[in-house]
Amino acid sequence: MKILKYAGRTISLLLFFIHFSCVNEPLEGDFTQDDGVLNIEEGEFRANVGIGDFSTGLAEGVLSNTDLLTITGTVPDTGESIVLTIENPGVGTFNITAGLGTQNSGVYIETNPENPFVSDGTFGVFGQLNITEFDIQNLKITGTFSFTGVRFATDAAGNPIVDVNGDQVIENEDITNGMFNKISFTNEDQGGGGTP
């Protein structure tokens, strides 16, 4: 009986020390935290296009006097562009699926501006833009985006490509992990316009 009491007290004491020895241990090392801040430089515009990267410091926005915001990032070396358009911008999440009764859209221009990939909802694709900063005083905007663009496939001469049934082939491209940080935009409304 004495052995059981001794074993029980020893186990209780051991559990007590294990519990309290770990409670106040300081954590060491580098720990990443998602505090909502984008890890890109001011003025940068990035995305993944399919399995490739789209990255540029050449990005700008235009806010029309009808509260239509167009943000464009262009890679000068390749001619690629991503164009995001939304009505009535402000901080929040926006559907950038084209063809839903608004002017909202996401567009990826690979090389031919006559045949871009568009987030056209009539083809069952969609897009989303999240604006985290919309500074109407300093004319800066920050956010993230993703969309799937579709287009009719064409050959090198620009002719439609058709399948064995004679239907035009449709191509799609996923634009993911898109982000832009403090992109400058111009405000066409001289009275200040825009809805923060």
Side-chain angles (χ1 to χ4, degrees):
M1 186 74 171
K2 287 184 179 181
I3 294 176
L4 289 177
K5 280 186 177 181
Y6 178 72
R9 287 183 184 159
T10 304
I11 291 173
S12 295
L13 191 57
L14 181 61
L15 290 174
F16 176 81
F17 282 123
I18 289 172
H19 174 73
F20 283 103
S21 66
C22 295
V23 170
N24 293 325
E25 286 213 15
L27 294 175
E28 296 177 4
D30 294 327
F31 299 96
T32 57
Q33 293 181 334
D34 182 10
D35 54 6
V37 177
L38 298 179
N39 293 323
I40 61 174
E41 298 292 322
E42 186 172 323
E44 267 191 278
F45 187 107
R46 289 189 189 173
N48 296 115
V49 177
I51 59 170
D53 292 327
F54 180 102
S55 180
T56 185
L58 184 59
E60 64 182 354
V62 175
L63 179 63
S64 76
N65 53 13
T66 59
D67 273 348
L68 184 68
L69 177 66
T70 303
I71 303 166
T72 305
T74 303
V75 179
D77 296 342
T78 64
E80 292 175 281
S81 292
I82 293 177
V83 182
L84 309 169
T85 304
I86 58 165
E87 296 177 339
N88 304 313
V91 172
T93 301
F94 298 85
N95 186 336
I96 56 170
T97 304
L100 297 181
T102 69
Q103 296 182 57
N104 296 1
S105 67
V107 175
Y108 168 63
I109 301 169
E110 186 176 31
T111 53
N112 181 2
E114 300 296 318
N115 192 22
F117 290 93
V118 180
S119 61
D120 190 338
T122 59
F123 289 94
V125 298
F126 59 91
Q128 182 172 301
L129 170 65
N130 183 33
I131 297 177
T132 56
E133 176 188 5
F134 186 65
D135 185 346
I136 196 71
Q137 280 75 34
N138 297 307
L139 302 175
K140 301 279 185 184
I141 187 168
T142 299
T144 59
F145 64 93
S146 64
F147 65 92
T148 298
V150 295
R151 71 177 181 185
F152 289 111
T154 58
D155 62 19
N159 299 314
I161 298 173
V162 294
D163 63 18
V164 293
N165 297 323
D167 297 322
Q168 196 164 359
V169 174
I170 297 173
E171 300 176 304
N172 65 355
E173 191 70 76
D174 291 323
I175 291 73
T176 59
N177 300 316
M179 60 184 76
F180 50 92
N181 190 16
K182 296 189 185 302
I183 299 297
S184 296
F185 66 92
T186 57
N187 187 348
E188 292 180 347
D189 183 359
Q190 299 303 318
T195 307

